[in-house]
Amino acid sequence: MNTEYTQVIKNRALELNGQSVVVNLSGGQTLTGTLAYATTTGLWGGTTFPDVLTVTVSTKAHTVRLDSVTSIGQG
C-alpha cells in the first residue's frame, strides 16, 4: 500500500464526506453514490483515519478498502 497516495485518498474522502461521488476502483469498477467517511479521535487525542470508506448506492452500502480506490470525484 502506497501510504502517501492512500493519505491523498483519505483527505479527498474527508472533503467529499456526505456528498454524491464517483469512486473508481483498481479493478475497473465504479461506484456512484453518497460517500461516508469520517475521522475519529484516537486514544491519546490524535486523529485516526479509517482504512475503509462507505459508498451508498440507492439503499445498499458498499464498504471499500482505501487501497482499492484509484480516485474519488464529485458525482
Side-chain angles (χ1 to χ4, degrees):
M1 179 186 309
N2 181 333
T3 306
E4 184 176 330
Y5 183 73
T6 302
Q7 188 61 48
V8 169
I9 294 294
K10 290 176 181 181
N11 292 338
R12 183 74 173 142
L14 281 173
E15 291 171 15
L16 296 173
N17 184 41
Q19 298 182 38
S20 292
V21 296
V22 176
V23 177
N24 295 305
L25 305 175
S26 57
Q29 302 93 337
T30 301
L31 293 172
T32 302
T34 304
L35 176 67
Y37 184 81
T39 60
T40 57
T41 302
L43 184 61
W44 304 105
T47 301
T48 301
F49 291 84
D51 290 326
V52 296
L53 55 80
T54 303
V55 179
T56 302
V57 180
S58 296
T59 58
K60 182 163 174 57
H62 299 269
T63 301
V64 179
R65 288 178 24 170
L66 292 178
D67 61 355
S68 296
V69 175
T70 57
S71 65
I72 302 174
Q74 285 186 304

